[in-house]
Amino acid sequence: QLEAKGYINVTGCLDEENETISEFIDNAGNRRPAVLRLTSNENDDLCAKILLYDKDYNFIQMWTMYPNRQQAVAPGKCFSTDVVSSDKDGVVTVTLKNIQNPTVPTEEILQDEMLYKWKK
């Protein structure tokens, strides 16, 4: 159902680089409006993520929901627009670097987020 609503399924390792995700990263890096919807299956639990580029603060915010549990976690988690890609054994891992939310400074533990993996 989520895929029918425009969410990209990033469960496991994709067969190729995803154009929509690359476009989101490019737009955010160039301070252009950008929204990305991802879905995955984490330990047999459906997960939905919405990422939004905030031009005013120049960061990416992410909301994570578990529809089957009707639960949201880490609302508005913030990430740098400097996305990290690493290539190991022909698999590219794209990661967002977690940053403090400048609008709500807290003592949260920063944890980077793997966006997705794809085969080269």
Side-chain angles (χ1 to χ4, degrees):
Q1 286 179 328
L2 288 174
E3 288 178 59
K5 294 180 179 182
Y7 283 73
I8 300 165
N9 189 340
V10 293
T11 302
C13 184
L14 304 186
D15 292 332
E16 61 187 9
E17 184 174 10
N18 182 285
E19 271 186 49
T20 304
I21 296 173
S22 296
E23 187 177 302
F24 171 82
I25 292 167
D26 182 58
N27 284 337
N30 288 295
R31 301 182 69 104
R32 294 190 297 261
V35 176
L36 181 64
R37 291 173 178 84
L38 302 176
T39 183
S40 62
N41 202 327
E42 299 176 1
N43 302 321
D44 288 331
D45 201 2
L46 181 65
C47 178
K49 296 177 182 176
I50 298 176
L51 294 93
L52 176 70
Y53 171 67
D54 186 317
K55 187 176 179 180
D56 294 336
Y57 292 101
N58 192 32
F59 62 50
I60 296 168
Q61 269 193 301
M62 181 180 75
W63 288 266
T64 303
M65 284 111 357
Y66 293 91
N68 296 339
R69 287 192 252 157
Q70 296 185 349
Q71 177 186 17
V73 294
K77 196 171 176 183
C78 297
F79 299 93
S80 166
T81 57
D82 297 327
V83 177
V84 178
S85 293
S86 62
D87 182 348
K88 185 176 180 191
D89 300 328
V91 174
V92 177
T93 303
V94 180
T95 305
L96 295 178
K97 181 157 180 49
N98 193 197
I99 59 171
Q100 284 285 354
N101 183 336
T103 63
V104 188
T106 60
E107 293 297 319
E108 66 181 295
I109 297 170
L110 299 180
Q111 186 174 350
D112 296 346
E113 181 86 16
M114 185 196 68
L115 208 50
Y116 81 122
K117 291 182 179 183
W118 57 278
K119 295 176 190 158
K120 227 173 174 180

